[in-house]
Each structure stands twice: as structure tokens, then as C-alpha cells.
Amino acid sequence: MPPGVDTKAAIKRAIKTILSRTPVRPASLYTRILTYHSVGDRDHEMNVSPDDFALQMDWLRDHANVIALDDAARGLRGVAITCDDGYGDNWVTASPIVLRHMFPATVFVVAGRLG
């Protein structure tokens, strides 16, 4: 930026200009990525109970186009399912539910924690 130009104000103006020229699109035109961590009976804020997870997958079956993460990265519309951190319950609890619906899903594991 040239001397004397308010950088923060210039950034705000640029963002407002971009947003004013971007058409509003319905949510159905966007790609969503659902990120889960633990799916089990833990008392933790990042945990989803198996029953709630099953209900969420049932809802997706009835209301969404579930796509693979690589399809989401290519810009296809739909919902991708991921599990972060590679908790054991991703395999034991979540995978049978995901497989029952034949949904693609991606699990990210912490390599240093594999035993």
C-alpha cells in the first residue's frame, strides 16, 4: 500500500465490492463438509452419540447428495463426510453406520498415534 493509505479500510472496501458483485446462491448449490471426531459414548464436546450419528446419516440419506471428499474438492455439489483424529470408534461405531448407507467417507488419522 502507498504511504498514507488506510490498509484496514482498503481491505474492507475490497471485500464489500467483491460481495456486492457476487450473486446470492441458495444453500443447495454449495458443497458442505461434515467433520466428525468421536462417535461413541464419551462425555466430550467433540463426541456424537451413536444414536445421534445414525439419525444424522438417516437424514442425509433422505435429504442430501452425499459425495466423496475428493468430489467436494473438485467442486461437486453435495455433502462430504469426514472423521478427524482417527479415534477407534470411527472404525468400530461410525463405519458400520456409514457403510449401511453406502456413503463415501474419509478418516484422517494422527500418524504418530497409530500403534
Side-chain angles (χ1 to χ4, degrees):
M1 289 271 146
V5 173
D6 182 355
T7 305
K8 189 174 181 179
I11 292 171
K12 279 185 175 181
R13 275 193 309 276
I15 291 172
K16 284 181 182 179
T17 300
I18 292 167
L19 290 176
S20 71
R21 294 178 183 170
T22 303
V24 176
R25 300 186 306 174
S28 63
L29 297 179
Y30 291 97
T31 299
R32 302 283 191 235
I33 300 173
L34 298 180
T35 302
Y36 292 91
H37 289 269
S38 177
V39 179
D41 294 316
R42 312 166 96 189
D43 183 22
H44 189 273
E45 64 185 12
M46 296 181 82
N47 180 71
V48 176
S49 75
D51 290 340
D52 285 346
F53 184 75
L55 288 172
Q56 292 169 19
M57 296 301 108
D58 290 344
W59 189 92
L60 288 173
R61 177 199 61 220
D62 297 338
H63 297 95
N65 176 36
V66 178
I67 60 175
L69 185 59
D70 60 342
D71 291 334
R74 290 197 324 264
L76 271 64
R77 293 180 218 152
V79 178
I81 301 167
T82 68
C83 294
D84 282 357
D85 304 325
Y87 287 102
D89 57 36
N90 295 166
W91 175 253
V92 174
T93 307
S95 69
I97 297 167
V98 170
L99 290 170
R100 182 171 65 230
H101 292 292
M102 296 192 303
F103 289 157
T106 300
V107 177
F108 296 98
V109 299
V110 179
R113 304 288 274 168
L114 294 174

